[in-house]
Amino acid sequence: MKTRYIIIPFLALSFINCGHDKAEEKPTNERTSGEFTVFVTIQPLASIADSIAGNLANVEVLLPANSKTYDYKPTPDDIKRLANSAVLFEIGIGLDEWATPIALKAENGPRIVPVSAGIPILPSVPERVRRRLFEEGKVAAHGNPYVWLDPYTVADMIIPVMTRAFAAADPHNAGIFRENSAHYTERVKNFADEAENNLKKLKNSRIMLYHGSFAYFCRRYGIEVSDIIEPFPGREPTEDDIAEIIKNAKRDKPIAILVDSDAPPKPAETIAKELGIPIVHVDPYGKPGESYIELMRRNIRAIVEIPL
């Protein structure tokens, strides 16, 4: 049995300061049928899949570390890796659409499961851009794919979709997958409740985003998104965009800008300097081997430090 990573738990001193989460220890289940492999496109899904599978399946991340999912170019080796695998979990909504074609090309390839199925989707572009597109008779191609950054959505929507896929791939162990899923769902919901308590001071505050990734997170925790700097995913704002953003922000008074770890720094720095507000660096994807709760805890630790 191959194990992707091991999380060594220790007693947390507080919600904000703990570095590892005992709640995300991988369940240990006795193997009662043939081992199988599932793939996920991004690291946060690997952590969730591991928590459902226990040691009854191998979970592998398809996207290489430090790669950007929205512009990743698959290789022939990716197709070979997917051969004879049982399931491929992808986000969908345009984020990892490169994964479906290679899964279909793989010999005895996996069942493709978009975990965003049934989730109400937010727009992918800021309102000022949507108005402009509407006037031109156009629409944005995709919605906002970052659904996993709302922990309650993970608990209520994503975990059930993944659990059903595991049960279908290995019906003999379906009961164990459901049991693991129930335990993990409870842990994620407990974490989400703790996060809500820690984020209370920011409720009804306004925050600007560089990318739209934390829009679901902000909506869940009552934080208003005043604007999104990036006009379209992967496209930097023009000087005219920045001037309009600054003009609107002087009216809306956001208290900070959340900037994804892979975003170009200059546009946000220009806007933050003009407005006199801090930049807060956040990470939607996580580090190799980092659990979902560890990732979210790290982001919340940064966000709660925003001065009011």
Side-chain angles (χ1 to χ4, degrees):
M1 169 64 208
K2 295 185 292 182
T3 303
R4 289 182 60 263
Y5 55 85
I6 299 172
I7 299 171
I8 303 175
F10 61 86
L11 183 62
L13 297 179
S14 70
F15 172 80
I16 294 300
N17 292 324
C18 71
H20 294 274
D21 189 351
K22 186 174 182 178
E24 286 213 271
E25 284 185 275
K26 186 172 178 176
T28 301
N29 308 115
E30 185 177 350
R31 183 75 240 167
T32 55
S33 69
E35 186 177 287
F36 64 99
T37 297
V38 303
F39 279 87
V40 298
T41 52
I42 59 172
Q43 173 60 36
L45 291 184
S47 169
I48 298 166
D50 264 336
S51 296
I52 298 167
N55 67 346
L56 301 183
N58 295 320
V59 178
E60 298 187 21
V61 182
L62 195 55
L63 184 73
N66 302 317
S67 297
K68 297 180 180 180
T69 183
Y70 49 81
D71 62 2
Y72 179 62
K73 306 299 182 187
T75 67
D77 284 342
D78 291 325
I79 299 174
K80 292 177 182 177
R81 289 178 66 200
L82 287 166
N84 301 309
S85 59
V87 183
L88 168 63
F89 293 110
E90 62 180 22
I91 296 295
I93 327 175
L95 182 78
D96 43 14
E97 57 189 9
W98 48 266
T100 295
I102 62 172
L104 294 174
K105 291 178 182 178
E107 183 178 354
N108 193 25
R111 175 191 173 197
I112 302 165
V113 178
V115 302
S116 60
I119 298 173
I121 302 304
L122 292 174
S124 62
V125 297
E127 184 180 352
R128 58 190 160 75
V129 176
R130 294 201 305 276
R131 287 198 302 267
R132 193 182 311 152
L133 289 174
F134 179 78
E135 291 168 0
E136 297 172 359
K138 301 175 183 177
V139 294
H142 297 290
N144 186 325
Y146 293 88
V147 292
W148 71 91
L149 293 174
D150 175 355
Y152 289 107
T153 293
V154 169
D156 294 335
M157 303 291 287
I158 293 178
I159 293 175
V161 167
M162 296 177 74
T163 303
R164 288 193 292 271
F166 272 109
D170 184 1
H172 186 79
N173 286 303
I176 296 176
F177 295 134
R178 294 187 187 105
E179 182 179 354
N180 290 346
S181 174
H183 289 313
Y184 186 58
T185 298
E186 182 179 5
R187 293 164 186 163
V188 173
K189 285 187 174 180
N190 287 340
F191 166 79
D193 291 344
E194 292 172 4
E196 186 165 20
N197 184 59
N198 280 273
L199 290 162
K200 275 182 180 177
K201 73 168 191 173
L202 294 175
K203 195 168 185 178
N204 300 321
S205 297
R206 290 176 176 169
I207 288 178
M208 187 183 298
L209 308 179
Y210 179 84
H211 192 59
S213 55
F214 275 75
Y216 292 98
F217 176 92
C218 288
R219 181 180 66 174
R220 173 62 67 182
Y221 291 111
I223 301 168
E224 183 179 342
V225 176
S226 66
D227 207 343
I228 299 173
I229 295 173
E230 190 179 54
F232 295 97
R235 185 185 302 178
E236 291 191 35
T238 64
E239 290 184 4
D240 287 344
D241 288 329
I242 290 174
E244 184 180 3
I245 290 166
I246 291 172
K247 177 183 175 182
N248 293 340
K250 287 180 177 178
R251 175 197 65 209
D252 297 334
K253 297 182 172 23
I255 61 173
I257 304 175
L258 300 191
V259 178
D260 292 11
S261 52
D262 61 350
K266 188 174 180 180
E269 289 172 356
T270 299
I271 295 168
K273 183 177 180 180
E274 178 68 24
L275 298 175
I277 59 176
I279 289 174
V280 178
H281 293 281
V282 289
D283 180 6
Y285 295 107
K287 304 171 184 177
E290 186 174 39
S291 76
Y292 173 71
I293 289 179
E294 287 173 334
L295 165 65
M296 295 305 297
R297 194 184 301 281
R298 181 160 57 86
N299 284 315
I300 291 169
R301 187 183 300 124
I303 292 169
V304 297
E305 293 299 320
I306 295 173
L308 296 178

